[in-house]
Amino acid sequence: MPPPPIAPETAAETTHRFPCENCGADYTYDPATGQLTCAHCGHTDRIRSGPWKGSALKELDFHAAVAEQLPEIETEVTRVSTCPNCAAQVEFDPQTHARECPFCATPVVTDTDESRQIKPKAVLPFAITERLAHQAMSNWLGQLWFAPSGLKQYARKGRRMQGIYVPYWTYDAQTRSTYRGEHGTVYYVTERVQRNGRTETRQIAKVRWRPVAGRVQRFFDDVLVLASRSLPKRYTDALDPWDLSQLEPYQPQYLAGFRAEAYGVDLETGFAEARQRMDRVIERDVRFDIGGDRQRIHAIDTQVSDVTFKHILLPVWLAAYKYRGKTYRFVVNGQSGKVQGERPYSAIKIALAALAAAIVVAAVAYLAGQQ
């Protein structure tokens, strides 16, 4: 028997509630239709277009934000507590003082502190339903060798998954780089060697280097950086790619029935990671500009200007499973259905596989000895 799953949040804990205009029950956002749907009476309502619909989402000035000089309309005061177990930033409404962390089910109690945070600028609505997310996770688990049978049974039984909007930063920047390096041209020389009383020839590759200098420039658009510390970064990064052309101007109706985590990675820390990604691309640009068969780079000096950013929310389905006292988490890209996650290993299955391998090796050795 598989162990019981972590209990999902209750409807009363939902931060964003929208009453059905027909019966008064709560609407939830339905990824299958892209509308608000009432689970009680089935009534639906569309989400009205926001003020930026049909135009580019407005970027915010990075340096103004760092200096805390953003217009007041771009920020909001929130009550956020850090989960003591997984470090998720759990947001509380004014009437709520305690709730379970949606990422690991640890009880979290709010304090009285308030903080001013940058509002989400855009949201990528869930595109796949919980049922399809379950199917994707079940298919993924079915491909894992040595996973405990209870884990696969858990997936097949369709336990509840959490729909979480995870915070990200996107950065735009104009870069201009000067560099110094060397351009390498490969050429071959013929060498003669004596081997076993005979003269043999062989081609030896050598490189002729010459110094070069130049400049490259590139505009970076929407460099995406995870702004959450609650989930293993290697798994959330592996959920790429995201189609950010489907971003919608932020409206809380998209969050109806879902959770949204507050960002735990500040804007400057996120930009430091974005710069690392930019620098790797710039290095590739420099190598291409140097050309030749080989390249050496001695120095790159990059000037960065016109830095802007957006705070956006991306959809993730989350499942948690306890196996022998440890929690394993699985994440599903709520747009594409791509799955990543932690996984336990079945010691029994590994032992049986090792035994089977030993039997095969012994059998092969026996047959070889009979020939």
Side-chain angles (χ1 to χ4, degrees):
M1 294 289 292
I6 292 176
E9 63 180 346
T10 62
E13 294 177 3
T14 302
T15 302
H16 299 278
R17 301 180 62 182
F18 300 91
C20 171
E21 63 183 34
N22 186 51
C23 71
D26 288 341
Y27 278 128
T28 58
Y29 177 75
D30 182 7
T33 63
Q35 295 183 321
L36 296 174
T37 301
C38 177
H40 182 71
C41 70
H43 188 266
T44 62
D45 191 12
R46 65 183 179 86
I47 298 178
R48 277 67 176 177
S49 297
W52 303 289
K53 185 64 177 176
S55 62
L57 292 167
K58 180 183 176 183
E59 301 278 338
L60 298 178
D61 183 83
F62 172 77
H63 296 291
V66 170
E68 299 183 353
Q69 295 176 352
L70 285 178
E72 189 172 337
I73 194 175
E74 302 293 352
T75 63
E76 60 185 349
V77 175
T78 60
R79 295 166 65 235
V80 176
S81 289
T82 302
C83 172
N85 183 50
C86 72
Q89 298 298 296
V90 182
E91 186 173 346
F92 292 78
D93 59 42
Q95 292 75 38
T96 304
H97 299 282
R99 70 157 54 111
E100 284 187 348
C101 172
F103 292 90
C104 68
T106 299
V108 179
V109 179
T110 183
D111 51 33
T112 58
D113 294 337
E114 294 183 339
S115 62
R116 181 168 292 277
Q117 293 209 330
I118 299 169
K119 291 180 181 179
K121 179 63 67 175
V123 58
L124 188 62
F126 276 87
I128 66 170
T129 63
E130 183 182 3
R131 181 182 63 82
L132 292 176
H134 260 298
Q135 181 178 332
M137 187 180 74
S138 182
N139 292 341
W140 181 77
L141 289 171
Q143 299 171 4
L144 298 181
W145 288 19
F146 306 128
S149 299
L151 183 60
K152 298 178 182 180
Q153 292 173 10
Y154 161 76
R156 287 196 295 269
K157 288 186 176 180
R159 305 288 188 182
R160 282 295 306 271
M161 301 182 75
Q162 297 269 6
I164 306 286
Y165 279 103
V166 179
Y168 282 78
W169 300 113
T170 72
Y171 298 92
D172 291 4
Q174 179 66 56
T175 64
R176 296 175 176 84
S177 305
T178 58
Y179 67 84
R180 292 183 296 104
E182 292 180 83
H183 171 113
T185 302
V186 175
Y187 65 97
Y188 294 89
V189 297
T190 301
E191 289 188 352
R192 292 178 172 81
V193 296
Q194 295 292 324
R195 180 173 297 174
N196 299 327
R198 294 182 302 174
T199 301
E200 296 182 357
T201 61
R202 60 182 180 182
Q203 297 291 308
I204 304 297
K206 294 183 178 293
V207 181
R208 182 180 295 110
W209 296 99
R210 63 177 177 84
V212 294
R215 63 186 61 189
V216 296
Q217 65 177 16
R218 176 181 284 270
F219 176 74
F220 289 90
D221 182 38
D222 284 345
V223 179
L224 190 65
V225 175
L226 176 68
S228 167
R229 299 188 188 278
S230 59
L231 294 172
K233 193 174 186 305
R234 64 185 182 277
Y235 297 135
T236 48
D237 283 352
L239 293 181
D240 290 352
W242 300 88
D243 182 5
L244 298 186
S245 69
Q246 300 302 309
L247 282 171
E248 294 283 349
Y250 174 80
Q251 295 189 79
Q253 289 89 337
Y254 288 113
L255 277 58
F258 297 94
R259 277 275 177 227
E261 187 193 3
Y263 58 82
V265 175
D266 64 53
L267 190 61
E268 288 183 280
T269 302
F271 184 63
E273 181 178 337
R275 273 299 311 268
Q276 292 177 0
R277 298 186 183 187
M278 293 177 190
D279 288 343
R280 289 194 291 269
V281 175
I282 291 170
E283 182 178 332
R284 290 199 297 268
D285 289 347
V286 167
R287 291 188 182 279
F288 181 81
D289 199 61
I290 291 176
D293 302 311
R294 308 279 175 84
Q295 303 84 35
R296 288 175 177 167
I297 298 175
H298 298 316
I300 300 177
D301 181 25
T302 299
Q303 302 297 317
V304 182
S305 61
D306 302 326
V307 182
T308 58
F309 75 95
K310 294 190 301 294
H311 172 207
I312 66 173
L313 301 175
L314 300 185
V316 172
W317 286 106
L318 170 68
Y321 173 82
K322 281 190 175 179
Y323 180 72
R324 294 187 175 180
K326 184 177 179 181
T327 299
Y328 296 87
R329 290 169 293 180
F330 309 95
V331 289
V332 181
N333 183 314
Q335 181 186 48
S336 68
K338 188 175 182 180
V339 183
Q340 291 293 320
E342 302 162 301
R343 46 89 53 93
Y345 291 85
S346 171
I348 294 176
K349 289 185 177 181
I350 293 174
L352 291 175
L355 178 61
I359 292 173
V360 170
V361 170
V364 171
Y366 174 78
L367 292 175
Q370 298 300 312
Q371 294 179 356

